[in-house]
Amino acid sequence: MTSSHTDCHFCLQSLRGRKYALREENAYCVPCYDSLYANPCEECKQPIECNSKDLAYKGRHWHEGCFRCAKCSRSLVEKPFAAKDEVLLCTECYSDEYSSKCFHCQKTIMPGSRKMEFKGSSWHESCFVCQYCQQPLGTKPLITKDNENYCVPCFEKQFAHHCYSCKKVITSGGVTYHDQPWHKECFVCAVCKTQLSSQRFISKDEYPYCVDCFSKLYAKKCAACKKPITALGGAKYISFEERQWHGECFNCTKCSLSLVGQEFLTRQDDILCHKCGSA
């Protein structure tokens, strides 16, 4: 290197016939420049002299020969690399060490490639497909069954039950009645339309009824209190000559003595104990 500079800016020795380096328009002999300004190498800790190539990354410096993968020691010069906790790794080692594995094929999802995430697992974009039609799912709505993903049309075609009432697909939950699937919101009393999925009901002619509606429509009336006899919960009732009574209502008309299991007499519409009927 030739220049109008004749002396080293630091040691003042002549630069004639010697190599030197410029910094901020000042000339330095090589030993002075290296001692003053050479960056220490991150790998070997030795100064990177001015006649060596200085490779820099995020404020750190390496000799060209020291700029290598920390795991496999392959050179990273002019190669793609990744940094983890200030350690440099080639893309292959970084992938083996830190990259996600595809839930479907179990192969590494390479840095820079697009990955899909669902329920805490990762997929290659090309592996994240409907199990049935093999079309990419991307961000489309999907349904999972037995750890396999399906687009909604394929799931409905393959697995979904159709509501006995509205004929639409049941995607979750539902009620089974007479071996038929129903939406919870469709499983209602045949008369008042009250939802029955969480309450007691009575079946007649393949239709469900709430207790109140069934009692009004079909239950026999007690000859004494005139209220319906539903027999729910194992309640007992007495039947005699086309009339019925609740067990607790089957009493002597005159003295109110319970006639359940007792002999009794009838007089027109009255039922009487033996004593009152003989008086």
Side-chain angles (χ1 to χ4, degrees):
M1 183 180 293
T2 60
S3 173
S4 58
H5 299 89
T6 57
D7 299 323
C8 172
H9 184 71
F10 185 72
C11 70
L12 303 180
Q13 292 186 23
S14 174
L15 297 176
R16 293 185 182 278
R18 300 171 62 191
K19 291 183 177 181
Y20 65 90
L22 290 174
R23 185 181 176 89
E24 297 177 356
E25 298 185 0
N26 295 315
Y28 297 84
C29 65
V30 171
C32 287
Y33 183 89
D34 289 342
S35 65
L36 291 172
Y37 301 115
N39 295 305
C41 175
E42 287 286 329
E43 179 63 23
C44 69
K45 309 305 179 186
Q46 298 299 313
I48 304 172
E49 299 171 342
C50 65
N51 59 354
S52 299
K53 192 171 184 178
D54 184 333
L55 300 179
Y57 174 72
K58 290 189 175 181
R60 296 187 293 157
H61 300 264
W62 288 261
H63 289 104
E64 184 175 16
C66 295
F67 195 60
R68 298 177 177 276
C69 171
K71 188 174 181 183
C72 70
S73 298
R74 283 185 291 185
S75 174
L76 298 177
V77 177
E78 297 183 357
K79 301 257 182 79
F81 64 90
K84 179 71 175 177
D85 300 328
E86 297 188 356
V87 174
L88 302 184
L89 299 166
C90 65
T91 53
E92 290 83 358
C93 289
Y94 182 88
S95 298
D96 290 342
E97 195 76 19
Y98 300 108
S99 292
S100 303
K101 297 291 191 296
C102 176
F103 184 84
H104 178 73
C105 69
Q106 296 303 308
K107 294 181 180 179
T108 299
I109 301 175
M110 298 296 289
S113 63
R114 189 175 181 187
K115 71 176 180 179
M116 310 303 296
E117 294 187 349
F118 179 64
K119 289 188 175 180
S121 298
S122 301
W123 280 262
H124 291 108
E125 185 178 21
S126 58
C127 292
F128 194 59
V129 299
C130 171
Q131 178 67 18
Y132 185 72
C133 69
Q134 298 299 307
Q135 293 301 306
L137 290 170
T139 57
K140 297 176 184 176
L142 61 93
I143 300 174
T144 300
K145 178 179 173 62
D146 299 332
N147 288 328
E148 299 289 358
N149 300 319
Y150 298 84
C151 64
V152 173
C154 286
F155 181 86
E156 293 179 353
K157 184 187 300 182
Q158 291 295 106
F159 305 109
H161 296 292
H162 290 76
C163 176
Y164 183 78
S165 175
C166 70
K167 310 306 178 187
K168 294 181 180 179
V169 170
I170 301 172
T171 57
S172 63
V175 175
T176 300
Y177 171 69
H178 280 192
D179 296 326
Q180 297 292 344
W182 302 59
H183 289 113
K184 285 185 178 180
E185 58 271 23
C186 292
F187 189 61
V188 297
C189 172
V191 177
C192 70
K193 307 306 179 185
T194 299
Q195 286 193 23
L196 300 175
S197 58
S198 59
Q199 62 176 288
R200 300 167 76 182
F201 63 90
I202 301 172
S203 173
K204 182 176 174 59
D205 300 330
E206 297 188 358
Y207 291 99
Y209 296 84
C210 67
V211 174
D212 288 342
C213 288
F214 183 86
S215 298
K216 291 174 183 177
L217 289 174
Y218 302 110
K220 299 182 182 299
K221 303 296 190 296
C222 175
C225 70
K226 309 305 181 186
K227 293 180 180 179
I229 301 173
T230 62
L232 283 175
K236 294 181 179 179
Y237 70 98
I238 292 88
S239 179
F240 178 72
E241 292 185 349
E242 297 185 358
R243 289 190 295 167
Q244 288 79 29
W245 291 261
H246 293 109
E248 63 272 19
C249 294
F250 193 58
N251 303 321
C252 176
T253 306
K254 292 187 70 174
C255 70
S256 299
L257 177 70
S258 175
L259 299 178
V260 177
Q262 305 295 322
E263 292 184 355
F264 61 90
L265 301 172
T266 61
R267 184 178 297 160
Q268 296 180 348
D269 291 335
D270 294 335
I271 54 171
L272 303 167
C273 65
H274 195 272
K275 183 178 178 181
C276 292
S278 302

